[in-house]
Amino acid sequence: GMVCGVMASTVFYCFSFGWSKIGKDLYTSYLLDAVGKTISMALTIPVCGRLGRKKGILFFLTIGVLSDAFAMPDLMLSENWSLEHVASLVGMMASAAAYGTLYLYTS
């Protein structure tokens, strides 16, 4: 439980520090952050219902680690969006869901 908590919070805060680079201005960046966290918290309910709390945390952490690996290549998907942007959004949502599910699992 403790190792999973440290992992979930580390990945969560690592993705949270990069929000100033996602949008063109700070307001767009934090709007994307709010939308992503809202989606991730809504995803915890069906995933926990289907997989259970423990496997749900592992599922979300796996997606977070994989999206961190996909954020490394310098590949442009469009004029404004790169693979790094998309992988960071997906990774942030997965890590926020793991963080929220961890709270459910330990309470």
Side-chain angles (χ1 to χ4, degrees), residues 52-97:
R53 293 177 182 176
K54 189 183 288 187
K55 289 182 182 176
I57 292 171
L58 293 175
F59 173 75
F60 287 128
L61 283 176
T62 303
I63 290 176
V65 168
L66 288 176
S67 65
D68 193 28
F70 282 123
M72 291 180 193
D74 190 24
L75 178 67
M76 293 300 293
L77 299 176
S78 71
E79 187 177 312
N80 296 326
W81 284 88
S82 67
L83 183 61
E84 178 185 5
H85 289 115
V86 175
S88 294
L89 286 170
V90 171
M92 187 280 309
M93 289 191 296
S95 64

Side-chain angles (χ1 to χ4, degrees), residues 6 13 20 22 32 41-42 52 67 81 88-89 106:
V6 170
Y13 287 112
S20 60
I22 292 286
L32 288 171
M41 292 302 144
S67 65
W81 284 88
S88 294
L89 286 170
T106 56

Side-chain angles (χ1 to χ4, degrees), residues 30-54:
Y30 283 113
L31 177 68
L32 288 171
D33 180 43
V35 169
K37 285 184 181 165
T38 303
I39 292 170
S40 67
M41 292 302 144
L43 282 175
T44 58
I45 297 167
V47 170
C48 284
R50 189 153 185 101
L51 297 177
R53 293 177 182 176
K54 189 183 288 187

